[in-house]
Amino acid sequence: MRIFVPSIVLAIAYAIASCSARVVQYPSHIRVKRNSYIVQLHPTAQARCVQAIPGIQVSRHFDMFHGVAVSIGDSVHPSQVANIEGVKAVWPNRVFSLQYQNKTTNGSGEYLHQATRVHQAHTELGLNGTGIKIGIIDTGVDYTHPDLGACWKTPNCPWQYGGSYASDSLSPNDPPMDCMGHGTHVSGIIASRGDRVKGVAPQATLGMYRVFTCSSESADTNDANVIAAMEAAFQDGHDIISMSLGSETAWEEDPVAVLASKFVDAGVVMVVANGNSGASGLLTASTPAVGRNVISVGSVDNWNITSAHAIFTTHTGQHSVLFLPSAAPAPPFIIANNTLVVAPTDNTGSALACTNITNDLSGKVALIQRGECTFSEKALNAQNAGAVAVVIYNNVDGMIDMAFDSNILIPGAFISMNDGRMVEESIRSGRTLVRALESDLITMPSPSGGHMSAFSSLGPTAELGLVPLISAPGGNILSTYPQSMGSYTSLSGTSMAAPYVAGAVALLKQARPDITVTHIRELLVTTARPIADSSTGLVSNPYSSGGGLINIYDAIRARARIDPPLLSINNTQREHPGPINSYIRPINAYWEIYTLAIQNTDSAKSMRISLAHIAANSLTMFDKNGTLSQQLLTNQTMPTWPTNTSPVPANTLPQVLGIRGNTLVRPGQSTKITVFIAPPLGLPESERWFYGGFINFKLTWDGESTAFSHVVPYAGFNGDMRKLSVLASAPIGLPFLANSEVEPIENVSELTISADTDVYLAVALDLPTRIFAASIVDATNTTRGYLPLGYSDYVGRTLLDEAPYYTIPVNRTVFHDTQMTNSSELSAGSYHVHLKVLRPFGDPARESDFQIWDSDTFKLGD
């Protein structure tokens, strides 16, 4: 014994001198088993090195984990365990409780937070948003909801700021009670403190700025309301402002976007929903999401769907079908008794119900497919035919939220394409009934879970800027809802993804209080995870996902900075730089060279860099003949390359080569890496492909075996945007002169426009344009002035989920200035419409940069 004990002491002393593993410290609210730890060993270490130490008892061995569970006496500190030779890391042994309850709730909540690593930021880092102020500009909040504090501006209340800035408010001091539900849902995503819905930053200090009215006549707001609310939020000193609203455009020049960018310059993090027009394809990002340095957010579908469900009784039995109810002010979708379901047709024979329905639907529920006209038009036609409710099913995969105009008095439900087809087949085969009970929620796995939401708007901006910046869960999200509307519901949209990111940024700012907006943007993008696309075997294009799914845990712990964090490729050159001529063929190709600065922010360890490349899908909106894709027009999905998971030629994918740069970076130092990016040379330019991918930096630090991945997304156009047509191609018939029903006028040369004749210029834009000018020209080829509404700056492309074209009146009134203030009346005579639109990156002073269209000559009568 006298010999053995000193040898143990010497062994411990040697271990302390030679090795020091990491001991994880959980925050105090995490329950742990006293004096119990999980010990991970280095690959070559044996468990006996732990067992041999007095006061340490090994209770379990782990093979795949390569470690042990130990109990230690009061005289042993966990750091002594960590200092044993061969030990890699030590964790306190957390307590897990079996959690269940007798009501169905969102079983996806915890997994959702795990996928984004918010869960680890909560549990391992102890972050909850404390001390961070988040302003929310939305429809208001049910501040009496118990999960949201049940208070308003009282001591210790989460709601310390905000008010009402909508036109129906008497004063900004009016409490912003939510009458629509959207704002309450957003608030719960950020900061719910309940057991059913767990917010991302539950201890953040909040402000709600209501900008939507409670009028039953409109669900809209305006620039004045939004700007007033934004300024109030800025004055209240919020660290983060979350906005789940927007106007469809791809330009950053509108006032709300400009103001948002100014706030960013002043140090406020602006987080904005990118939009819900993904069914219209590329270039559908909304404003202010496209504002300079704003954090624009795309949506990823939840891994599970929790929502109400209806029971359809068919000839094969009963089927539980999950649905999303139409948004307020429509009544809730409650059908207490089994009710007959029918699939009506309109007076054109179409099952899409876009015109008057010929069936008598009295006392029945109408099943209608999505497509060709708005949800409200379908619901109104069903209502006018006597239906008691309407069920609309999708024409593509996925689920989206549905809203009706205020004149719709019947409830509506939205169901998936597969469920809709099942019900439709049942109707053809026999009698089909439906019932739906109040607050009857179920949770089901989502087939699209973890993928980009079909509704999520895509970039680029009008000048090929890369949006969205980042993506987050937004499809099928269960959150708080006004208590008068059921307290909880599932909604979908980038409206749900933006507040998720706002909450995550609060955790980042809590962990790193002095971090700048620029640094936040860098970390969100470069630590994100590119989103796999199982249909192609690649990853989603950055114009769809930005950097990918937010990974806030790695953003908080990041020890590297990369500048720039993303690459928007909008300068194309038709030659190769000398250093890479031998790598790429053919010589006649577009290319880009970028230099990336990479900083090692670790003050003690050197960093090593390994460069890799992740190719993403290429996307287009066009068919080979240059017209808008029939796939996009009919199915609301874009042509994608690859078309499936089969191998494709390498030259049909973008390529990245690192051609210069150091791979070892000393503590606190920086290096520069030069990369060459070539588009998919094997894809025809005539098909107008938008390509992208991710430059993947694998970073390791001295003494560490784990590599950390940082990505730099890049995206661009495979060709020269300056040569593209802005106007929709002639084969689809646009532009044209139209009658009051917006039908093409035949034989325009025989047309005479009189005071009682309604004639319009109908025009669709495949791309945004900086200048849109429609004028009228007389018989001497003299321009007489602009048509009413005939001049616009910064016009977005025509969206397919709205009107498929713009209409401009053609009559005797013309305007002589672009502000539409100086007008006159034309005399009778022969005229034609002259339309010109500026091509992408065009110079307004250069006439050749405009695309021109002229109508046939017509007459203006007396």
Side-chain angles (χ1 to χ4, degrees):
M1 291 294 295
R2 294 177 182 176
I3 299 173
F4 181 72
V5 171
S7 66
I8 293 177
V9 173
L10 288 173
I12 294 175
Y14 173 79
I16 292 174
S18 63
C19 180
S20 182
R22 184 172 71 106
V23 180
V24 175
Q25 299 292 332
Y26 287 130
S28 59
H29 67 277
I30 300 298
R31 295 173 59 203
V32 298
K33 186 175 181 180
R34 185 174 182 269
N35 290 346
S36 182
Y37 292 86
I38 305 298
V39 180
Q40 186 180 28
L41 304 174
H42 285 289
T44 59
Q46 301 294 319
R48 60 176 176 266
C49 69
V50 177
Q51 291 173 307
I53 308 302
I56 300 176
Q57 181 178 352
V58 174
S59 57
R60 287 186 180 275
H61 293 259
F62 308 115
D63 293 331
M64 295 298 293
F65 180 77
H66 196 62
V68 292
V70 301
S71 298
I72 63 175
D74 291 337
S75 61
V76 180
H77 191 272
S79 62
Q80 292 175 269
V81 181
N83 285 323
I84 298 173
E85 187 174 17
V87 170
K88 185 176 182 180
V90 179
W91 291 265
N93 192 10
R94 286 183 291 182
V95 173
F96 286 80
S97 300
L98 181 63
Q99 300 191 26
Y100 67 97
Q101 47 194 9
N102 58 7
K103 291 184 179 180
T104 304
T105 60
N106 184 11
S108 63
E110 283 303 301
Y111 184 77
L112 182 150
H113 286 339
Q114 288 173 8
T116 59
R117 306 193 78 182
V118 164
H119 176 77
Q120 286 176 275
H122 288 170
T123 58
E124 294 185 20
L125 305 179
L127 301 172
N128 54 23
T130 296
I132 306 302
K133 296 163 63 174
I134 305 175
I136 307 166
I137 297 175
D138 216 291
T139 66
V141 61
D142 181 0
Y143 45 82
T144 68
H145 198 296
D147 290 4
L148 299 175
C151 57
W152 181 252
K153 294 186 178 180
T154 56
N156 300 316
C157 177
W159 300 101
Q160 292 296 323
Y161 304 95
S164 295
Y165 293 85
S167 58
D168 64 341
S169 302
L170 297 177
S171 165
N173 294 324
D174 291 345
M177 178 55 74
D178 188 6
C179 57
M180 297 174 65
H182 187 279
T184 301
H185 196 274
V186 163
S187 300
I189 292 169
I190 294 175
S192 173
R193 300 178 173 185
D195 294 328
R196 192 170 190 180
V197 175
K198 299 177 181 179
V200 180
Q203 295 301 316
T205 301
L206 306 173
M208 172 58 74
Y209 303 82
R210 182 166 74 87
V211 295
F212 289 84
T213 72
C214 285
S215 168
S216 61
E217 298 179 357
S218 174
D220 296 328
T221 187
N222 54 58
D223 281 342
N225 292 345
V226 173
I227 290 172
M230 290 174 68
E231 292 188 347
F234 180 79
Q235 292 297 327
D236 285 340
H238 288 290
D239 303 292
I240 305 159
I241 296 177
S242 178
M243 300 177 66
S244 290
L245 50 83
S247 176
E248 302 300 341
T249 180
W251 297 94
E252 63 181 52
E253 280 78 6
D254 84 280
V256 176
V258 169
L259 185 60
S261 296
K262 287 184 177 180
F263 288 178
V264 173
D265 292 342
V268 179
V269 182
M270 299 296 299
V271 183
V272 184
N274 202 49
N276 296 340
S277 295
S280 290
L282 292 154
L283 294 148
T284 52
S286 65
T287 182
V290 296
R292 178 180 48 81
N293 293 329
V294 166
I295 296 175
S296 52
V297 185
S299 172
V300 174
D301 279 352
N302 198 348
W303 290 261
N304 289 331
I305 302 175
T306 299
S307 190
H309 74 121
I311 302 297
F312 285 85
T313 302
T314 74
H315 67 288
T316 61
Q318 290 191 339
H319 302 269
S320 179
V321 173
L322 187 145
F323 70 84
L324 298 178
S326 53
F333 192 85
I334 300 172
I335 303 175
N337 300 311
N338 279 325
T339 303
L340 186 65
V341 186
V342 297
T345 56
D346 60 28
N347 57 18
T348 69
S350 171
L352 295 176
C354 290
T355 60
N356 292 335
I357 291 175
T358 56
N359 310 69
D360 180 6
L361 301 183
S362 299
K364 303 170 185 175
V365 175
L367 176 75
I368 302 171
Q369 187 182 29
R370 177 190 180 193
E372 288 194 10
C373 58
T374 67
F375 295 134
S376 293
E377 289 173 308
K378 295 174 186 290
L380 181 61
N381 290 329
Q383 178 177 284
N384 291 341
V388 296
V390 60
V391 175
I392 297 178
Y393 68 95
N394 211 347
N395 53 4
V396 295
D397 291 334
M399 302 271 281
I400 64 171
D401 287 315
M402 179 174 65
F404 292 156
D405 293 338
S406 59
N407 60 343
I408 306 302
L409 306 178
I410 61 174
F414 191 88
I415 64 176
S416 71
M417 178 172 63
N418 288 339
D419 285 334
R421 288 174 175 173
M422 180 273 295
V423 177
E424 185 179 46
E425 175 62 28
S426 172
I427 292 171
R428 285 197 295 263
S429 302
R431 183 179 175 87
T432 301
L433 305 174
V434 66
R435 64 182 174 87
L437 304 179
E438 185 175 9
S439 301
D440 196 2
L441 300 180
I442 60 172
T443 296
M444 295 181 177
S446 171
S448 59
H451 292 80
M452 292 303 300
S453 303
F455 58 76
S456 189
S457 288
L458 294 90
T461 67
E463 296 181 324
L464 288 180
L466 204 166
V467 290
L469 189 78
I470 193 75
S471 294
N476 311 308
I477 305 300
L478 182 72
S479 186
T480 49
Y481 216 51
Q483 295 174 89
S484 62
M485 301 179 188
S487 297
Y488 305 93
T489 198
S490 285
L491 296 177
S492 295
T494 55
S495 283
M496 287 61 251
Y500 198 98
V501 171
V505 172
L507 304 182
L508 178 56
K509 286 187 67 69
Q510 181 187 3
R512 306 171 78 158
D514 298 326
I515 192 170
T516 65
V517 177
T518 298
H519 197 180
I520 289 171
R521 283 170 48 88
E522 289 176 10
L523 291 179
L524 291 182
V525 174
T526 59
T527 61
R529 295 173 174 176
I531 296 170
D533 185 340
S534 58
S535 67
T536 66
L538 300 183
V539 296
S540 293
N541 190 291
Y543 285 147
S544 172
S545 67
L549 180 65
I550 189 170
N551 176 5
I552 198 62
Y553 182 71
D554 280 3
I556 292 167
R557 300 186 308 148
R559 290 175 286 169
R561 295 189 64 174
I562 304 178
D563 181 40
L566 55 85
L567 302 175
S568 298
I569 302 175
N570 60 6
N571 281 325
T572 50
Q573 304 178 58
R574 260 198 179 282
E575 59 183 86
H576 276 298
I580 51 79
N581 270 338
S582 60
Y583 290 97
I584 303 294
R585 292 290 187 267
I587 292 297
N588 188 30
Y590 295 103
W591 56 269
E592 276 295 328
I593 284 184
Y594 288 95
T595 299
L596 302 170
I598 307 175
Q599 181 184 8
N600 177 12
T601 59
D602 192 304
S603 61
K605 296 181 179 181
S606 293
M607 176 182 75
R608 285 174 172 78
I609 302 171
S610 174
L611 180 66
H613 174 233
I614 304 171
N617 297 333
S618 291
L619 306 171
T620 185
M621 299 188 295
F622 303 95
D623 287 333
K624 292 181 180 180
N625 63 359
T627 63
L628 209 61
S629 166
Q630 286 300 309
Q631 178 179 328
L632 182 62
L633 291 171
T634 57
N635 298 326
Q636 287 76 56
T637 60
M638 281 184 295
T640 301
W641 184 264
T643 58
N644 54 47
T645 57
S646 299
V648 297
N651 70 345
T652 64
L653 302 177
Q655 300 177 55
V656 171
L657 295 173
I659 59 176
R660 275 195 302 276
N662 295 325
T663 59
L664 177 65
V665 187
R666 301 296 180 186
Q669 299 299 306
S670 299
T671 191
K672 292 183 178 181
I673 301 287
T674 301
V675 296
F676 161 84
I677 301 174
L681 310 178
L683 296 182
E685 285 186 30
S686 60
E687 296 178 11
R688 305 184 188 183
W689 291 97
F690 290 77
Y691 67 94
F694 299 83
I695 304 168
N696 188 13
F697 294 91
K698 294 288 188 179
L699 308 178
T700 55
W701 279 264
D702 285 350
E704 300 179 18
S705 59
T706 302
F708 291 84
S709 177
H710 286 245
V711 296
V712 174
Y714 69 88
F717 176 70
N718 185 31
D720 190 344
M721 286 282 288
R722 294 166 294 188
K723 298 178 180 179
L724 295 186
S725 295
V726 174
L727 297 174
S729 301
I732 67 171
L734 290 166
F736 57 75
L737 295 186
N739 59 24
S740 59
E741 300 297 323
V742 200
E743 299 167 336
I745 295 174
E746 303 292 339
N747 300 319
V748 170
S749 59
E750 300 177 7
L751 172 67
T752 298
I753 302 175
S754 59
D756 59 353
T757 305
D758 291 326
V759 175
Y760 299 89
L761 169 65
V763 56
L765 303 181
D766 284 347
L767 300 173
T769 182
R770 167 70 173 77
I771 295 175
F772 177 101
S775 56
I776 196 163
V777 179
D778 65 18
T780 67
N781 210 32
T782 301
T783 300
R784 301 298 299 275
Y786 297 112
L787 298 176
L789 308 177
Y791 186 91
S792 298
D793 290 321
Y794 303 109
V795 182
R797 62 163 287 236
T798 309
L799 299 184
L800 305 180
D801 55 356
E802 298 181 357
Y805 36 68
Y806 300 132
T807 55
I808 299 165
V810 180
N811 52 45
R812 295 178 62 174
T813 302
V814 294
F815 289 84
H816 305 288
D817 63 324
T818 58
Q819 305 304 312
M820 302 285 148
T821 59
N822 180 17
S823 66
S824 65
E825 298 294 309
L826 295 175
S827 59
S830 296
Y831 299 89
H832 74 271
V833 171
H834 178 75
L835 173 64
K836 66 177 189 177
V837 291
L838 191 64
R839 296 181 191 271
F841 303 106
D843 181 354
R846 185 182 298 123
E847 192 68 17
S848 61
D849 284 356
F850 285 87
Q851 183 182 0
I852 306 296
W853 177 85
D854 289 286
S855 75
D856 290 340
T857 299
F858 55 85
K859 288 184 173 60
L860 291 178
D862 293 327

